[in-house]
Amino acid sequence: MSDSIEEKLKKMGITLPTPEPYASPNRTHGVIVNNVLYLSGHGSCRAAMIPGAKATGKVGGDVTEQEAYKSSRAVAIAMIASIKKCAGSLDRVKRVIRLYGLVNSAPGFNRQFAVIDGASDLFYEVWGPEAGQHAGAADGIAELPRDSAVEIMGEFEISK
């Protein structure tokens, strides 16, 4: 019998944070419609950073690509905590469907995909090659809320 996702995270040395509440009651961490969980955007300025990550600033300017990659990974950990909050169990995730990342980019920076790979790589490691491989997109943007370096949204197939 395979380990649960939470046991796998523990073996990876990952502790899930408590999802921060939203300031307004008109938004939530995610919404389940039929068997798809749509996660709200998770920004790096609200995620607990991991060593070598930088939560705020312009990637390709005051934030290096490698720092932003690690920030993206930290955001993915916050997203996993939100999945647990919304779905009740991480073992309900049948498939990572899609990640969409926004990167607060300095002029001329064009490797947004490499930054969002920090999150993509973690989801792939956690859910494996069949359930963790997903569609994705990454865009550069002039500004993000609270000067976040990255913001990521996602869709996940959830078992009933």
Side-chain angles (χ1 to χ4, degrees):
M1 185 173 181
S2 64
D3 290 339
S4 74
I5 295 298
E6 289 203 53
E7 289 169 342
K8 190 172 191 177
L9 290 169
K10 190 175 188 177
K11 287 179 182 175
M12 294 171 71
I14 295 173
T15 302
L16 296 179
T18 300
E20 289 191 30
Y22 279 84
S24 175
N26 68 358
R27 293 184 306 280
T28 186
H29 294 89
V31 174
I32 297 175
V33 177
N34 296 321
N35 64 331
V36 177
L37 168 60
Y38 298 87
L39 272 192
S40 293
H42 284 60
S44 56
C45 71
R46 292 179 51 126
M49 287 294 101
I50 58 178
K54 200 166 183 184
T56 61
K58 297 248 181 241
V59 181
D62 54 340
V63 179
T64 68
E65 183 179 312
Q66 188 59 27
E67 289 169 328
Y69 174 94
K70 290 178 181 177
S71 297
S72 179
R73 190 171 176 92
V75 169
I77 293 168
M79 292 172 74
I80 293 169
S82 290
I83 293 168
K84 181 180 176 184
K85 177 181 175 69
C86 295
S89 169
L90 296 174
D91 295 321
R92 286 187 64 200
V93 175
K94 291 174 65 176
R95 173 138 195 142
V96 181
I97 298 170
R98 180 174 81 116
L99 296 181
Y100 176 54
L102 300 171
V103 179
N104 188 354
S105 300
F109 183 76
N110 64 3
R111 291 183 44 83
Q112 289 79 10
F113 63 91
V115 169
I116 301 305
D117 274 349
S120 291
D121 290 347
L122 182 62
F123 283 108
Y124 188 83
E125 291 166 27
V126 171
W127 274 280
E130 288 187 31
Q133 185 182 48
H134 54 274
D139 287 323
I141 192 162
E143 299 292 336
L144 282 172
R146 298 179 184 90
D147 199 32
S148 285
V150 298
E151 182 174 351
I152 306 170
M153 295 153 271
E155 289 113 34
F156 305 85
E157 182 182 8
I158 303 293
S159 63
K160 301 228 181 226

mmCIF file with all atom_site columns, all heavy atoms in Angstrom, residues 3-6 8-9 12 14 73 76-77 80 90 93 96 119-129 131-132:
data_model
loop_
_atom_site.group_PDB
_atom_site.id
_atom_site.type_symbol
_atom_site.label_atom_id
_atom_site.label_alt_id
_atom_site.label_comp_id
_atom_site.label_asym_id
_atom_site.label_entity_id
_atom_site.label_seq_id
_atom_site.pdbx_PDB_ins_code
_atom_site.Cartn_x
_atom_site.Cartn_y
_atom_site.Cartn_z
_atom_site.occupancy
_atom_site.B_iso_or_equiv
_atom_site.pdbx_formal_charge
_atom_site.auth_seq_id
_atom_site.auth_comp_id
_atom_site.auth_asym_id
_atom_site.auth_atom_id
_atom_site.pdbx_PDB_model_num
ATOM 1   N N   . ASP A 1 3   ? 2.082  5.211  0.498   1.00 0.00 ? 3   ASP A N   1
ATOM 2   C CA  . ASP A 1 3   ? 1.923  6.212  1.549   1.00 0.00 ? 3   ASP A CA  1
ATOM 3   C C   . ASP A 1 3   ? 0.861  7.229  1.170   1.00 0.00 ? 3   ASP A C   1
ATOM 4   O O   . ASP A 1 3   ? 0.627  7.491  -0.010  1.00 0.00 ? 3   ASP A O   1
ATOM 5   C CB  . ASP A 1 3   ? 3.250  6.982  1.747   1.00 0.00 ? 3   ASP A CB  1
ATOM 6   C CG  . ASP A 1 3   ? 4.323  6.126  2.386   1.00 0.00 ? 3   ASP A CG  1
ATOM 7   O OD1 . ASP A 1 3   ? 3.984  5.117  3.029   1.00 0.00 ? 3   ASP A OD1 1
ATOM 8   O OD2 . ASP A 1 3   ? 5.500  6.480  2.236   1.00 0.00 ? 3   ASP A OD2 1
ATOM 9   N N   . SER A 1 4   ? 0.245  7.820  2.172   1.00 0.00 ? 4   SER A N   1
ATOM 10  C CA  . SER A 1 4   ? -0.670 8.925  1.908   1.00 0.00 ? 4   SER A CA  1
ATOM 11  C C   . SER A 1 4   ? 0.171  10.130 1.476   1.00 0.00 ? 4   SER A C   1
ATOM 12  O O   . SER A 1 4   ? 1.387  10.176 1.706   1.00 0.00 ? 4   SER A O   1
ATOM 13  C CB  . SER A 1 4   ? -1.479 9.259  3.159   1.00 0.00 ? 4   SER A CB  1
ATOM 14  O OG  . SER A 1 4   ? -0.671 9.923  4.117   1.00 0.00 ? 4   SER A OG  1
ATOM 15  N N   . ILE A 1 5   ? -0.491 11.087 0.876   1.00 0.00 ? 5   ILE A N   1
ATOM 16  C CA  . ILE A 1 5   ? 0.225  12.295 0.434   1.00 0.00 ? 5   ILE A CA  1
ATOM 17  C C   . ILE A 1 5   ? 0.836  13.016 1.637   1.00 0.00 ? 5   ILE A C   1
ATOM 18  O O   . ILE A 1 5   ? 1.974  13.490 1.568   1.00 0.00 ? 5   ILE A O   1
ATOM 19  C CB  . ILE A 1 5   ? -0.719 13.221 -0.373  1.00 0.00 ? 5   ILE A CB  1
ATOM 20  C CG1 . ILE A 1 5   ? -1.149 12.531 -1.685  1.00 0.00 ? 5   ILE A CG1 1
ATOM 21  C CG2 . ILE A 1 5   ? -0.057 14.563 -0.655  1.00 0.00 ? 5   ILE A CG2 1
ATOM 22  C CD1 . ILE A 1 5   ? -0.017 12.199 -2.636  1.00 0.00 ? 5   ILE A CD1 1
ATOM 23  N N   . GLU A 1 6   ? 0.113  13.076 2.751   1.00 0.00 ? 6   GLU A N   1
ATOM 24  C CA  . GLU A 1 6   ? 0.673  13.752 3.938   1.00 0.00 ? 6   GLU A CA  1
ATOM 25  C C   . GLU A 1 6   ? 1.906  13.023 4.458   1.00 0.00 ? 6   GLU A C   1
ATOM 26  O O   . GLU A 1 6   ? 2.874  13.669 4.876   1.00 0.00 ? 6   GLU A O   1
ATOM 27  C CB  . GLU A 1 6   ? -0.389 13.906 5.017   1.00 0.00 ? 6   GLU A CB  1
ATOM 28  C CG  . GLU A 1 6   ? -1.417 14.955 4.613   1.00 0.00 ? 6   GLU A CG  1
ATOM 29  C CD  . GLU A 1 6   ? -2.154 15.561 5.778   1.00 0.00 ? 6   GLU A CD  1
ATOM 30  O OE1 . GLU A 1 6   ? -1.489 16.042 6.718   1.00 0.00 ? 6   GLU A OE1 1
ATOM 31  O OE2 . GLU A 1 6   ? -3.389 15.570 5.722   1.00 0.00 ? 6   GLU A OE2 1
ATOM 32  N N   . LYS A 1 8   ? 3.948  11.298 2.591   1.00 0.00 ? 8   LYS A N   1
ATOM 33  C CA  . LYS A 1 8   ? 4.975  11.597 1.591   1.00 0.00 ? 8   LYS A CA  1
ATOM 34  C C   . LYS A 1 8   ? 5.580  12.973 1.838   1.00 0.00 ? 8   LYS A C   1
ATOM 35  O O   . LYS A 1 8   ? 6.803  13.150 1.784   1.00 0.00 ? 8   LYS A O   1
ATOM 36  C CB  . LYS A 1 8   ? 4.362  11.522 0.190   1.00 0.00 ? 8   LYS A CB  1
ATOM 37  C CG  . LYS A 1 8   ? 5.365  11.577 -0.922  1.00 0.00 ? 8   LYS A CG  1
ATOM 38  C CD  . LYS A 1 8   ? 4.683  11.288 -2.257  1.00 0.00 ? 8   LYS A CD  1
ATOM 39  C CE  . LYS A 1 8   ? 5.701  11.069 -3.327  1.00 0.00 ? 8   LYS A CE  1
ATOM 40  N NZ  . LYS A 1 8   ? 5.079  10.728 -4.606  1.00 0.00 ? 8   LYS A NZ  1
ATOM 41  N N   . LEU A 1 9   ? 4.729  13.969 2.113   1.00 0.00 ? 9   LEU A N   1
ATOM 42  C CA  . LEU A 1 9   ? 5.222  15.319 2.408   1.00 0.00 ? 9   LEU A CA  1
ATOM 43  C C   . LEU A 1 9   ? 6.130  15.309 3.634   1.00 0.00 ? 9   LEU A C   1
ATOM 44  O O   . LEU A 1 9   ? 7.184  15.956 3.646   1.00 0.00 ? 9   LEU A O   1
ATOM 45  C CB  . LEU A 1 9   ? 4.055  16.291 2.614   1.00 0.00 ? 9   LEU A CB  1
ATOM 46  C CG  . LEU A 1 9   ? 3.250  16.642 1.375   1.00 0.00 ? 9   LEU A CG  1
ATOM 47  C CD1 . LEU A 1 9   ? 1.973  17.388 1.769   1.00 0.00 ? 9   LEU A CD1 1
ATOM 48  C CD2 . LEU A 1 9   ? 4.072  17.475 0.395   1.00 0.00 ? 9   LEU A CD2 1
ATOM 49  N N   . MET A 1 12  ? 9.407  14.124 2.849   1.00 0.00 ? 12  MET A N   1
ATOM 50  C CA  . MET A 1 12  ? 10.130 15.130 2.062   1.00 0.00 ? 12  MET A CA  1
ATOM 51  C C   . MET A 1 12  ? 10.582 16.309 2.931   1.00 0.00 ? 12  MET A C   1
ATOM 52  O O   . MET A 1 12  ? 11.250 17.208 2.443   1.00 0.00 ? 12  MET A O   1
ATOM 53  C CB  . MET A 1 12  ? 9.230  15.648 0.930   1.00 0.00 ? 12  MET A CB  1
ATOM 54  C CG  . MET A 1 12  ? 8.897  14.609 -0.122  1.00 0.00 ? 12  MET A CG  1
ATOM 55  S SD  . MET A 1 12  ? 7.636  15.179 -1.301  1.00 0.00 ? 12  MET A SD  1
ATOM 56  C CE  . MET A 1 12  ? 8.570  16.415 -2.227  1.00 0.00 ? 12  MET A CE  1
ATOM 57  N N   . ILE A 1 14  ? 8.485  18.441 4.415   1.00 0.00 ? 14  ILE A N   1
ATOM 58  C CA  . ILE A 1 14  ? 7.576  19.569 4.178   1.00 0.00 ? 14  ILE A CA  1
ATOM 59  C C   . ILE A 1 14  ? 6.481  19.570 5.227   1.00 0.00 ? 14  ILE A C   1
ATOM 60  O O   . ILE A 1 14  ? 5.765  18.582 5.409   1.00 0.00 ? 14  ILE A O   1
ATOM 61  C CB  . ILE A 1 14  ? 6.957  19.495 2.765   1.00 0.00 ? 14  ILE A CB  1
ATOM 62  C CG1 . ILE A 1 14  ? 8.065  19.649 1.716   1.00 0.00 ? 14  ILE A CG1 1
ATOM 63  C CG2 . ILE A 1 14  ? 5.867  20.551 2.591   1.00 0.00 ? 14  ILE A CG2 1
ATOM 64  C CD1 . ILE A 1 14  ? 7.603  19.427 0.296   1.00 0.00 ? 14  ILE A CD1 1
ATOM 65  N N   . ARG A 1 73  ? 8.083  27.457 -5.320  1.00 0.00 ? 73  ARG A N   1
ATOM 66  C CA  . ARG A 1 73  ? 7.966  26.201 -4.565  1.00 0.00 ? 73  ARG A CA  1
ATOM 67  C C   . ARG A 1 73  ? 7.282  26.458 -3.221  1.00 0.00 ? 73  ARG A C   1
ATOM 68  O O   . ARG A 1 73  ? 6.424  25.676 -2.797  1.00 0.00 ? 73  ARG A O   1
ATOM 69  C CB  . ARG A 1 73  ? 9.348  25.588 -4.372  1.00 0.00 ? 73  ARG A CB  1
ATOM 70  C CG  . ARG A 1 73  ? 9.334  24.173 -3.823  1.00 0.00 ? 73  ARG A CG  1
ATOM 71  C CD  . ARG A 1 73  ? 10.739 23.579 -3.868  1.00 0.00 ? 73  ARG A CD  1
ATOM 72  N NE  . ARG A 1 73  ? 10.797 22.264 -3.282  1.00 0.00 ? 73  ARG A NE  1
ATOM 73  C CZ  . ARG A 1 73  ? 10.641 21.122 -3.959  1.00 0.00 ? 73  ARG A CZ  1
ATOM 74  N NH1 . ARG A 1 73  ? 10.426 21.147 -5.251  1.00 0.00 ? 73  ARG A NH1 1
ATOM 75  N NH2 . ARG A 1 73  ? 10.713 19.958 -3.343  1.00 0.00 ? 73  ARG A NH2 1
ATOM 76  N N   . ALA A 1 76  ? 3.670  26.823 -3.763  1.00 0.00 ? 76  ALA A N   1
ATOM 77  C CA  . ALA A 1 76  ? 3.057  25.515 -3.985  1.00 0.00 ? 76  ALA A CA  1
ATOM 78  C C   . ALA A 1 76  ? 2.750  24.819 -2.657  1.00 0.00 ? 76  ALA A C   1
ATOM 79  O O   . ALA A 1 76  ? 1.708  24.169 -2.519  1.00 0.00 ? 76  ALA A O   1
ATOM 80  C CB  . ALA A 1 76  ? 3.963  24.648 -4.857  1.00 0.00 ? 76  ALA A CB  1
ATOM 81  N N   . ILE A 1 77  ? 3.617  24.974 -1.681  1.00 0.00 ? 77  ILE A N   1
ATOM 82  C CA  . ILE A 1 77  ? 3.364  24.389 -0.352  1.00 0.00 ? 77  ILE A CA  1
ATOM 83  C C   . ILE A 1 77  ? 2.121  25.026 0.262   1.00 0.00 ? 77  ILE A C   1
ATOM 84  O O   . ILE A 1 77  ? 1.263  24.325 0.819   1.00 0.00 ? 77  ILE A O   1
ATOM 85  C CB  . ILE A 1 77  ? 4.604  24.538 0.557   1.00 0.00 ? 77  ILE A CB  1
ATOM 86  C CG1 . ILE A 1 77  ? 5.757  23.673 0.013   1.00 0.00 ? 77  ILE A CG1 1
ATOM 87  C CG2 . ILE A 1 77  ? 4.270  24.169 2.003   1.00 0.00 ? 77  ILE A CG2 1
ATOM 88  C CD1 . ILE A 1 77  ? 7.107  23.938 0.648   1.00 0.00 ? 77  ILE A CD1 1
ATOM 89  N N   . ILE A 1 80  ? -0.887 23.583 -1.435  1.00 0.00 ? 80  ILE A N   1
ATOM 90  C CA  . ILE A 1 80  ? -1.198 22.241 -0.943  1.00 0.00 ? 80  ILE A CA  1
ATOM 91  C C   . ILE A 1 80  ? -1.959 22.337 0.382   1.00 0.00 ? 80  ILE A C   1
ATOM 92  O O   . ILE A 1 80  ? -2.918 21.583 0.612   1.00 0.00 ? 80  ILE A O   1
ATOM 93  C CB  . ILE A 1 80  ? 0.078  21.380 -0.837  1.00 0.00 ? 80  ILE A CB  1
ATOM 94  C CG1 . ILE A 1 80  ? 0.639  21.106 -2.239  1.00 0.00 ? 80  ILE A CG1 1
ATOM 95  C CG2 . ILE A 1 80  ? -0.197 20.072 -0.095  1.00 0.00 ? 80  ILE A CG2 1
ATOM 96  C CD1 . ILE A 1 80  ? 2.037  20.479 -2.259  1.00 0.00 ? 80  ILE A CD1 1
ATOM 97  N N   . LEU A 1 90  ? -5.711 15.423 1.297   1.00 0.00 ? 90  LEU A N   1
ATOM 98  C CA  . LEU A 1 90  ? -4.877 15.516 0.096   1.00 0.00 ? 90  LEU A CA  1
ATOM 99  C C   . LEU A 1 90  ? -4.983 14.252 -0.749  1.00 0.00 ? 90  LEU A C   1
ATOM 100 O O   . LEU A 1 90  ? -4.706 14.277 -1.946  1.00 0.00 ? 90  LEU A O   1
ATOM 101 C CB  . LEU A 1 90  ? -3.423 15.775 0.479   1.00 0.00 ? 90  LEU A CB  1
ATOM 102 C CG  . LEU A 1 90  ? -3.173 17.114 1.168   1.00 0.00 ? 90  LEU A CG  1
ATOM 103 C CD1 . LEU A 1 90  ? -1.720 17.206 1.636   1.00 0.00 ? 90  LEU A CD1 1
ATOM 104 C CD2 . LEU A 1 90  ? -3.519 18.273 0.247   1.00 0.00 ? 90  LEU A CD2 1
ATOM 105 N N   . VAL A 1 93  ? -7.033 14.208 -4.111  1.00 0.00 ? 93  VAL A N   1
ATOM 106 C CA  . VAL A 1 93  ? -6.532 14.734 -5.395  1.00 0.00 ? 93  VAL A CA  1
ATOM 107 C C   . VAL A 1 93  ? -6.222 13.567 -6.315  1.00 0.00 ? 93  VAL A C   1
ATOM 108 O O   . VAL A 1 93  ? -5.362 12.736 -6.028  1.00 0.00 ? 93  VAL A O   1
ATOM 109 C CB  . VAL A 1 93  ? -5.283 15.625 -5.204  1.00 0.00 ? 93  VAL A CB  1
ATOM 110 C CG1 . VAL A 1 93  ? -4.708 16.048 -6.544  1.00 0.00 ? 93  VAL A CG1 1
ATOM 111 C CG2 . VAL A 1 93  ? -5.612 16.842 -4.352  1.00 0.00 ? 93  VAL A CG2 1
ATOM 112 N N   . VAL A 1 96  ? -3.446 16.732 -10.806 1.00 0.00 ? 96  VAL A N   1
ATOM 113 C CA  . VAL A 1 96  ? -3.181 18.157 -10.940 1.00 0.00 ? 96  VAL A CA  1
ATOM 114 C C   . VAL A 1 96  ? -3.536 18.467 -12.392 1.00 0.00 ? 96  VAL A C   1
ATOM 115 O O   . VAL A 1 96  ? -2.930 17.919 -13.313 1.00 0.00 ? 96  VAL A O   1
ATOM 116 C CB  . VAL A 1 96  ? -1.704 18.494 -10.645 1.00 0.00 ? 96  VAL A CB  1
ATOM 117 C CG1 . VAL A 1 96  ? -1.465 19.984 -10.772 1.00 0.00 ? 96  VAL A CG1 1
ATOM 118 C CG2 . VAL A 1 96  ? -1.309 17.985 -9.258  1.00 0.00 ? 96  VAL A CG2 1
ATOM 119 N N   . ALA A 1 119 ? 6.932  25.497 -8.625  1.00 0.00 ? 119 ALA A N   1
ATOM 120 C CA  . ALA A 1 119 ? 5.667  24.893 -8.188  1.00 0.00 ? 119 ALA A CA  1
ATOM 121 C C   . ALA A 1 119 ? 5.389  23.614 -8.973  1.00 0.00 ? 119 ALA A C   1
ATOM 122 O O   . ALA A 1 119 ? 5.032  22.581 -8.393  1.00 0.00 ? 119 ALA A O   1
ATOM 123 C CB  . ALA A 1 119 ? 4.520  25.885 -8.365  1.00 0.00 ? 119 ALA A CB  1
ATOM 124 N N   . SER A 1 120 ? 5.558  23.674 -10.288 1.00 0.00 ? 120 SER A N   1
ATOM 125 C CA  . SER A 1 120 ? 5.283  22.502 -11.124 1.00 0.00 ? 120 SER A CA  1
ATOM 126 C C   . SER A 1 120 ? 6.112  21.300 -10.694 1.00 0.00 ? 120 SER A C   1
ATOM 127 O O   . SER A 1 120 ? 5.594  20.181 -10.598 1.00 0.00 ? 120 SER A O   1
ATOM 128 C CB  . SER A 1 120 ? 5.567  22.821 -12.595 1.00 0.00 ? 120 SER A CB  1
ATOM 129 O OG  . SER A 1 120 ? 4.631  23.730 -13.090 1.00 0.00 ? 120 SER A OG  1
ATOM 130 N N   . ASP A 1 121 ? 7.386  21.534 -10.416 1.00 0.00 ? 121 ASP A N   1
ATOM 131 C CA  . ASP A 1 121 ? 8.255  20.440 -9.996  1.00 0.00 ? 121 ASP A CA  1
ATOM 132 C C   . ASP A 1 121 ? 7.776  19.822 -8.683  1.00 0.00 ? 121 ASP A C   1
ATOM 133 O O   . ASP A 1 121 ? 7.805  18.595 -8.520  1.00 0.00 ? 121 ASP A O   1
ATOM 134 C CB  . ASP A 1 121 ? 9.702  20.914 -9.857  1.00 0.00 ? 121 ASP A CB  1
ATOM 135 C CG  . ASP A 1 121 ? 10.359 21.245 -11.190 1.00 0.00 ? 121 ASP A CG  1
ATOM 136 O OD1 . ASP A 1 121 ? 9.808  20.877 -12.254 1.00 0.00 ? 121 ASP A OD1 1
ATOM 137 O OD2 . ASP A 1 121 ? 11.436 21.885 -11.162 1.00 0.00 ? 121 ASP A OD2 1
ATOM 138 N N   . LEU A 1 122 ? 7.327  20.659 -7.739  1.00 0.00 ? 122 LEU A N   1
ATOM 139 C CA  . LEU A 1 122 ? 6.863  20.123 -6.456  1.00 0.00 ? 122 LEU A CA  1
ATOM 140 C C   . LEU A 1 122 ? 5.594  19.284 -6.638  1.00 0.00 ? 122 LEU A C   1
ATOM 141 O O   . LEU A 1 122 ? 5.491  18.175 -6.101  1.00 0.00 ? 122 LEU A O   1
ATOM 142 C CB  . LEU A 1 122 ? 6.627  21.230 -5.435  1.00 0.00 ? 122 LEU A CB  1
ATOM 143 C CG  . LEU A 1 122 ? 6.175  20.709 -4.062  1.00 0.00 ? 122 LEU A CG  1
ATOM 144 C CD1 . LEU A 1 122 ? 7.242  19.821 -3.420  1.00 0.00 ? 122 LEU A CD1 1
ATOM 145 C CD2 . LEU A 1 122 ? 5.810  21.850 -3.142  1.00 0.00 ? 122 LEU A CD2 1
ATOM 146 N N   . PHE A 1 123 ? 4.620  19.779 -7.390  1.00 0.00 ? 123 PHE A N   1
ATOM 147 C CA  . PHE A 1 123 ? 3.401  18.996 -7.613  1.00 0.00 ? 123 PHE A CA  1
ATOM 148 C C   . PHE A 1 123 ? 3.719  17.668 -8.304  1.00 0.00 ? 123 PHE A C   1
ATOM 149 O O   . PHE A 1 123 ? 3.140  16.634 -7.979  1.00 0.00 ? 123 PHE A O   1
ATOM 150 C CB  . PHE A 1 123 ? 2.368  19.797 -8.414  1.00 0.00 ? 123 PHE A CB  1
ATOM 151 C CG  . PHE A 1 123 ? 1.655  20.821 -7.577  1.00 0.00 ? 123 PHE A CG  1
ATOM 152 C CD1 . PHE A 1 123 ? 1.902  22.169 -7.730  1.00 0.00 ? 123 PHE A CD1 1
ATOM 153 C CD2 . PHE A 1 123 ? 0.723  20.437 -6.619  1.00 0.00 ? 123 PHE A CD2 1
ATOM 154 C CE1 . PHE A 1 123 ? 1.246  23.116 -6.958  1.00 0.00 ? 123 PHE A CE1 1
ATOM 155 C CE2 . PHE A 1 123 ? 0.055  21.365 -5.838  1.00 0.00 ? 123 PHE A CE2 1
ATOM 156 C CZ  . PHE A 1 123 ? 0.318  22.712 -6.000  1.00 0.00 ? 123 PHE A CZ  1
ATOM 157 N N   . TYR A 1 124 ? 4.671  17.682 -9.227  1.00 0.00 ? 124 TYR A N   1
ATOM 158 C CA  . TYR A 1 124 ? 5.098  16.471 -9.928  1.00 0.00 ? 124 TYR A CA  1
ATOM 159 C C   . TYR A 1 124 ? 5.755  15.495 -8.943  1.00 0.00 ? 124 TYR A C   1
ATOM 160 O O   . TYR A 1 124 ? 5.510  14.292 -8.985  1.00 0.00 ? 124 TYR A O   1
ATOM 161 C CB  . TYR A 1 124 ? 6.054  16.865 -11.046 1.00 0.00 ? 124 TYR A CB  1
ATOM 162 C CG  . TYR A 1 124 ? 6.441  15.747 -11.983 1.00 0.00 ? 124 TYR A CG  1
ATOM 163 C CD1 . TYR A 1 124 ? 5.616  15.385 -13.045 1.00 0.00 ? 124 TYR A CD1 1
ATOM 164 C CD2 . TYR A 1 124 ? 7.632  15.060 -11.816 1.00 0.00 ? 124 TYR A CD2 1
ATOM 165 C CE1 . TYR A 1 124 ? 5.971  14.358 -13.919 1.00 0.00 ? 124 TYR A CE1 1
ATOM 166 C CE2 . TYR A 1 124 ? 8.000  14.043 -12.681 1.00 0.00 ? 124 TYR A CE2 1
ATOM 167 C CZ  . TYR A 1 124 ? 7.171  13.691 -13.724 1.00 0.00 ? 124 TYR A CZ  1
ATOM 168 O OH  . TYR A 1 124 ? 7.524  12.683 -14.587 1.00 0.00 ? 124 TYR A OH  1
ATOM 169 N N   . GLU A 1 125 ? 6.599  16.019 -8.042  1.00 0.00 ? 125 GLU A N   1
ATOM 170 C CA  . GLU A 1 125 ? 7.263  15.179 -7.042  1.00 0.00 ? 125 GLU A CA  1
ATOM 171 C C   . GLU A 1 125 ? 6.250  14.569 -6.075  1.00 0.00 ? 125 GLU A C   1
ATOM 172 O O   . GLU A 1 125 ? 6.360  13.403 -5.711  1.00 0.00 ? 125 GLU A O   1
ATOM 173 C CB  . GLU A 1 125 ? 8.279  16.003 -6.242  1.00 0.00 ? 125 GLU A CB  1
ATOM 174 C CG  . GLU A 1 125 ? 9.493  16.446 -7.024  1.00 0.00 ? 125 GLU A CG  1
ATOM 175 C CD  . GLU A 1 125 ? 10.282 17.533 -6.293  1.00 0.00 ? 125 GLU A CD  1
ATOM 176 O OE1 . GLU A 1 125 ? 10.221 17.594 -5.040  1.00 0.00 ? 125 GLU A OE1 1
ATOM 177 O OE2 . GLU A 1 125 ? 10.953 18.333 -6.974  1.00 0.00 ? 125 GLU A OE2 1
ATOM 178 N N   . VAL A 1 126 ? 5.274  15.363 -5.652  1.00 0.00 ? 126 VAL A N   1
ATOM 179 C CA  . VAL A 1 126 ? 4.311  14.910 -4.648  1.00 0.00 ? 126 VAL A CA  1
ATOM 180 C C   . VAL A 1 126 ? 3.309  13.915 -5.231  1.00 0.00 ? 126 VAL A C   1
ATOM 181 O O   . VAL A 1 126 ? 3.060  12.864 -4.650  1.00 0.00 ? 126 VAL A O   1
ATOM 182 C CB  . VAL A 1 126 ? 3.588  16.112 -3.994  1.00 0.00 ? 126 VAL A CB  1
ATOM 183 C CG1 . VAL A 1 126 ? 2.433  15.655 -3.118  1.00 0.00 ? 126 VAL A CG1 1
ATOM 184 C CG2 . VAL A 1 126 ? 4.576  16.952 -3.188  1.00 0.00 ? 126 VAL A CG2 1
ATOM 185 N N   . TRP A 1 127 ? 2.724  14.219 -6.387  1.00 0.00 ? 127 TRP A N   1
ATOM 186 C CA  . TRP A 1 127 ? 1.667  13.370 -6.942  1.00 0.00 ? 127 TRP A CA  1
ATOM 187 C C   . TRP A 1 127 ? 2.171  12.405 -8.026  1.00 0.00 ? 127 TRP A C   1
ATOM 188 O O   . TRP A 1 127 ? 1.406  11.587 -8.514  1.00 0.00 ? 127 TRP A O   1
ATOM 189 C CB  . TRP A 1 127 ? 0.500  14.215 -7.442  1.00 0.00 ? 127 TRP A CB  1
ATOM 190 C CG  . TRP A 1 127 ? -0.457 14.493 -6.314  1.00 0.00 ? 127 TRP A CG  1
ATOM 191 C CD1 . TRP A 1 127 ? -1.412 13.630 -5.841  1.00 0.00 ? 127 TRP A CD1 1
ATOM 192 C CD2 . TRP A 1 127 ? -0.536 15.653 -5.511  1.00 0.00 ? 127 TRP A CD2 1
ATOM 193 N NE1 . TRP A 1 127 ? -2.077 14.211 -4.779  1.00 0.00 ? 127 TRP A NE1 1
ATOM 194 C CE2 . TRP A 1 127 ? -1.562 15.454 -4.553  1.00 0.00 ? 127 TRP A CE2 1
ATOM 195 C CE3 . TRP A 1 127 ? 0.159  16.867 -5.493  1.00 0.00 ? 127 TRP A CE3 1
ATOM 196 C CZ2 . TRP A 1 127 ? -1.905 16.408 -3.605  1.00 0.00 ? 127 TRP A CZ2 1
ATOM 197 C CZ3 . TRP A 1 127 ? -0.184 17.805 -4.546  1.00 0.00 ? 127 TRP A CZ3 1
ATOM 198 C CH2 . TRP A 1 127 ? -1.204 17.568 -3.610  1.00 0.00 ? 127 TRP A CH2 1
ATOM 199 N N   . GLY A 1 128 ? 3.441  12.494 -8.373  1.00 0.00 ? 128 GLY A N   1
ATOM 200 C CA  . GLY A 1 128 ? 4.010  11.539 -9.316  1.00 0.00 ? 128 GLY A CA  1
ATOM 201 C C   . GLY A 1 128 ? 3.756  11.890 -10.767 1.00 0.00 ? 128 GLY A C   1
ATOM 202 O O   . GLY A 1 128 ? 3.023  12.822 -11.079 1.00 0.00 ? 128 GLY A O   1
ATOM 203 N N   . PRO A 1 129 ? 4.362  11.109 -11.677 1.00 0.00 ? 129 PRO A N   1
ATOM 204 C CA  . PRO A 1 129 ? 4.304  11.449 -13.098 1.00 0.00 ? 129 PRO A CA  1
ATOM 205 C C   . PRO A 1 129 ? 2.919  11.342 -13.728 1.00 0.00 ? 129 PRO A C   1
ATOM 206 O O   . PRO A 1 129 ? 2.630  12.066 -14.679 1.00 0.00 ? 129 PRO A O   1
ATOM 207 C CB  . PRO A 1 129 ? 5.281  10.477 -13.751 1.00 0.00 ? 129 PRO A CB  1
ATOM 208 C CG  . PRO A 1 129 ? 5.492  9.390  -12.760 1.00 0.00 ? 129 PRO A CG  1
ATOM 209 C CD  . PRO A 1 129 ? 5.218  9.960  -11.405 1.00 0.00 ? 129 PRO A CD  1
ATOM 210 N N   . ALA A 1 131 ? -0.328 11.580 -12.026 1.00 0.00 ? 131 ALA A N   1
ATOM 211 C CA  . ALA A 1 131 ? -1.277 12.550 -11.462 1.00 0.00 ? 131 ALA A CA  1
ATOM 212 C C   . ALA A 1 131 ? -0.674 13.941 -11.327 1.00 0.00 ? 131 ALA A C   1
ATOM 213 O O   . ALA A 1 131 ? -1.399 14.931 -11.268 1.00 0.00 ? 131 ALA A O   1
ATOM 214 C CB  . ALA A 1 131 ? -1.780 12.065 -10.107 1.00 0.00 ? 131 ALA A CB  1
ATOM 215 N N   . GLY A 1 132 ? 0.643  14.030 -11.278 1.00 0.00 ? 132 GLY A N   1
ATOM 216 C CA  . GLY A 1 132 ? 1.292  15.319 -11.049 1.00 0.00 ? 132 GLY A CA  1
ATOM 217 C C   . GLY A 1 132 ? 1.656  16.095 -12.295 1.00 0.00 ? 132 GLY A C   1
ATOM 218 O O   . GLY A 1 132 ? 1.856  17.308 -12.249 1.00 0.00 ? 132 GLY A O   1
#
